[in-house]
């Protein structure tokens, strides 16, 4: 499974990368929403899932999700928000933008992997 993971925190990117690669996933990393859009466009094949933070420079997670959902080639890709935010209004905003699910940091690696497997239907 290939996962595009977007977070402005190097520590979180490293933790996500470690978690995913330990499970045999192919992790592709980006450091903000704009970089995520560029990375997605450069990928030979679309990822099976996307993880994105919300609070990032240049383009936040909401903007990133909206941009991805505008493109028909990516409309079926599950997008999980991975953030420190837990407010109901933020979750609602993410769903309205097109997010599939929400995981609060700090994350439990097993829960993250389980959520990715659930939303993609891939093992």
């Amino acid at each position: 499974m290939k996962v595009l993971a977007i977070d402005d925190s190097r520590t979180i990117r490293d933790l996500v990368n470690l978690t995913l690669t330990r499970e045999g996933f192919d992790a592709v990393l980006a450091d903000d929403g704009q970089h995520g859009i560029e990375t997605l466009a450069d990928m030979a094949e679309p990822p099976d899932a996307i993880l994105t933070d919300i609070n990032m420079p240049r383009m936040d997670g909401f903007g990133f999700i909206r941009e991805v959902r505008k493109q028909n080639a990516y409309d079926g890709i599950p997008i999980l928000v991975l953030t420190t935010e837990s407010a109901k209004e933020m979750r609602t905003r993410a769903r309205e933008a097109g997010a599939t699910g929400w995981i609060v940091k700090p994350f439990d690696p097993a829960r993250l992997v389980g959520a990715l497997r659930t939303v993609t239907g891939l093992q």
Side-chain angles (χ1 to χ4, degrees):
M1 177 186 321
K2 185 178 287 191
V3 178
L4 173 60
I6 306 159
D7 201 297
D8 59 322
S9 165
R10 181 183 190 108
T11 302
I12 295 297
R13 285 194 312 271
D14 288 348
L15 286 170
V16 167
N17 188 41
L18 180 64
T19 298
L20 297 179
T21 55
R22 277 185 179 165
E23 292 294 323
F25 296 175
D26 181 13
V28 178
L29 308 174
D31 55 23
D32 64 30
Q34 184 61 45
H35 187 213
I37 293 294
E38 294 162 3
T39 301
L40 189 60
D42 289 342
M43 294 175 76
E45 295 179 12
D48 297 298
I50 298 171
L51 293 172
T52 185
D53 189 13
I54 290 294
N55 299 311
M56 299 179 288
R58 295 201 305 160
M59 179 186 288
D60 68 10
F62 298 122
F64 170 80
I65 295 166
R66 282 192 298 272
E67 285 301 310
V68 170
R69 292 302 186 219
K70 285 181 187 176
Q71 301 177 45
N72 290 338
Y74 308 127
D75 63 359
I77 299 173
I79 301 175
L80 295 178
V81 174
L82 180 63
T83 184
T84 57
E85 300 288 347
S86 60
K88 186 176 181 182
E89 313 79 69
M90 298 289 268
R91 289 178 190 226
T92 300
R93 231 178 117 193
R95 287 234 186 248
E96 288 171 352
T100 309
W102 189 276
I103 299 171
V104 177
K105 294 180 211 169
F107 65 92
D108 171 36
R111 183 167 179 243
L112 176 65
V113 168
L116 286 167
R117 287 186 170 137
T118 297
V119 298
T120 62
L122 300 172
Q123 297 299 315

